[in-house]
Amino acid sequence: MKFFLGNASLTLNPKTKSTILTSIHLILVKPFSQSTSIPTKQERVRDHGFDNYMEVEKKIRKVVKFHSLILSQPNNTIAISLLDTLARRLGLGFKQHEPGAFLLKFPHVFEIYEHPVQRILYCRLTRKALEQIRHEHEAVLAQIPDAVTRLLKLIMMSNTGRIRLEHVRIARTEFGLPEDFEFSVVLKHPEFFRLIDAEETRDKYIEIVAKEPNLSVCAIERVREIEYRTKGIDAEDVRFSFVVNFPPGFKIGKYFRIAVWKWQRLPYWSPYEDISGYDLRSLEAQKRLEKRAVACIHELLSLTVEKKITLERIAHFRNVMNLPKKLKEFLLQHQGIFYISTRGNYGKLHTVFLREAYKKGEMVEPNDVYLARRRLAELVLMSPRKAKVDAELVNYRNGLDDEDDIE
């Protein structure tokens, strides 16, 4: 290779040639040309408020499994001697004699008593725990009309107009659907849904009869309207923006701030919009598609009763909603909108929260199902000492009643 300097020429060997070309490339490329785009790989910054929430959830998950176990037994009671065997069968991860010790930690939920005839220890649910189960069941049944709407919107976001029945069943609790939702929600509303068998896979699918245009409004669009009307934010700034609230300790540099500002103003297609006829090969289309994926996950979380769902269950809807393959890395790019907690199942489970829906560990706009479930959390966290005092008061009152009977 020759470089001409005036009338002189200089011949270079291949190694020197490579070095010079690399230097010229670095000079010609604008500095910080990539710094104003959101980095694709980011480290997760912990938010202890959400992590502490999941620590309680870890206990609640085990408590609920014991709930189901006890209620499935005759007379809704179970012998303590059978707990080890049944706990292993359920895969609760307890060692020998640990299930009994676990139940003793929550005297407001589980009551250990001696059978009057057999003289062996049994376990049953306390009156408070039974009331909590009844309240949650009633709350779920009362909001079936809302559950119908949520399921409609969920299926409307799919690119085929149908979703596997099994995937909805797995996420039934998150969407506030009753246990018999296949009959009480799907089959009871033939004007909205129909069950079909796929010939190629023999799986059952829930298919919508027709799209409801009035349900095609996303939760974030209502938030934008409130922001625009109450705070007077410029229409261009709020038109395609999301509520962004980064966790404590998240480092926001100058160029990252610019990247977020540009991303907030980027147009995108609605999760309810059919994009099958669009040309998605251009760079601009890919950017819009990525932001649409954020909107899809945001809307998915908005449809849950607790504004949270596991990453693994979001993955069930990945293909039908055109979501990225590497969901965790994708969500970590948007830590101001979502939070991924690895607490709650020894790091094996990833729970995704919608950040804007929570404040100081509680939902900003709680619903009856959420409140009923939080009542169980209160019972789990209640001091065992208080349970002892309550028992003494009951015994004291019973004693007074006995004295009255004698008189």
Side-chain angles (χ1 to χ4, degrees), residues 108-119:
H108 294 278
V109 182
F110 304 106
E111 181 183 354
I112 310 294
Y113 68 99
E114 186 181 46
H115 195 280
V117 178
Q118 300 176 6
R119 295 299 177 185

Side-chain angles (χ1 to χ4, degrees), residues 143-396:
Q143 54 84 64
I144 280 183
D146 295 332
V148 171
T149 301
R150 286 195 294 269
L151 185 57
L152 262 173
K153 290 172 74 73
L154 179 69
I155 301 174
M156 281 170 60
M157 283 198 290
S158 71
N159 51 29
T160 58
R162 65 182 189 179
I163 287 180
R164 272 185 65 181
L165 175 66
E166 186 60 26
H167 291 166
V168 177
R169 182 179 284 112
I170 291 170
R172 173 185 64 80
T173 305
E174 283 82 351
F175 291 109
L177 297 169
E179 193 170 347
D180 65 340
F181 78 94
E182 184 177 344
F183 302 97
S184 60
V185 175
V186 179
L187 295 178
K188 267 198 173 183
H189 297 86
E191 69 276 22
F192 298 130
F193 310 105
R194 54 175 166 246
L195 280 177
I196 60 170
D197 293 313
E199 295 179 0
E200 60 275 12
T201 60
R202 294 186 179 180
D203 292 321
K204 276 191 175 182
Y205 284 80
I206 309 174
E207 187 175 68
I208 54 174
V209 174
K211 283 195 173 185
E212 299 289 330
N214 59 317
L215 296 180
S216 298
V217 180
C218 295
I220 189 61
E221 293 179 50
R222 292 192 289 270
V223 172
R224 289 173 192 149
E225 185 177 353
I226 294 170
E227 291 280 311
Y228 176 71
R229 293 183 182 277
T230 59
K231 298 183 180 179
I233 300 174
D234 184 66
E236 284 301 314
D237 288 334
V238 78
R239 188 178 176 189
F240 301 108
S241 65
F242 288 79
V243 179
V244 174
N245 179 25
F246 290 103
F250 188 89
K251 295 180 181 179
I252 307 173
K254 174 184 175 182
Y255 295 102
F256 184 83
R257 193 184 300 274
I258 294 171
V260 172
W261 180 85
K262 288 170 64 178
W263 184 86
Q264 288 277 52
R265 295 169 71 92
L266 178 70
Y268 67 95
W269 297 293
S270 168
Y272 297 107
E273 187 175 353
D274 183 9
I275 60 171
S276 58
Y278 296 155
D279 185 357
L280 305 176
R281 292 174 295 179
S282 68
L283 181 61
E284 183 68 18
Q286 288 298 312
K287 288 181 179 179
R288 291 189 179 200
L289 201 59
E290 287 177 10
K291 191 168 182 179
R292 182 182 186 269
V294 172
C296 281
I297 298 172
H298 186 285
E299 185 70 359
L300 184 70
L301 285 165
S302 298
L303 294 177
T304 61
V305 292
E306 297 183 68
K307 313 308 176 198
K308 68 178 179 68
I309 190 171
T310 63
L311 187 66
E312 290 73 15
R313 286 175 185 171
I314 295 177
H316 289 154
F317 306 110
R318 184 175 61 80
N319 290 330
V320 295
M321 293 185 185
N322 299 315
L323 301 179
K325 290 183 179 179
K326 297 181 179 179
L327 274 173
K328 185 178 178 181
E329 290 183 10
F330 179 74
L331 290 172
L332 287 177
Q333 293 180 50
H334 305 282
Q335 295 186 58
I337 302 173
F338 311 109
Y339 180 72
I340 304 176
S341 176
T342 56
R343 300 289 178 89
N345 194 26
Y346 308 102
K348 297 177 182 177
L349 207 62
H350 300 78
T351 304
V352 183
F353 286 86
L354 186 60
R355 292 189 62 87
E356 69 197 65
Y358 283 82
K359 188 175 183 181
K360 296 181 179 179
E362 296 290 337
M363 268 184 65
V364 176
E365 297 179 2
N367 53 69
D368 291 341
V369 177
Y370 166 82
L371 292 173
R373 291 174 182 173
R374 293 314 293 168
R375 178 58 183 155
L376 178 58
E378 292 172 9
L379 293 177
V380 167
L381 294 174
M382 210 174 281
S383 169
R385 185 176 179 181
K386 187 177 184 305
K388 185 179 179 181
V389 172
D390 289 345
E392 289 173 353
L393 285 172
V394 170
N395 292 334
Y396 175 70

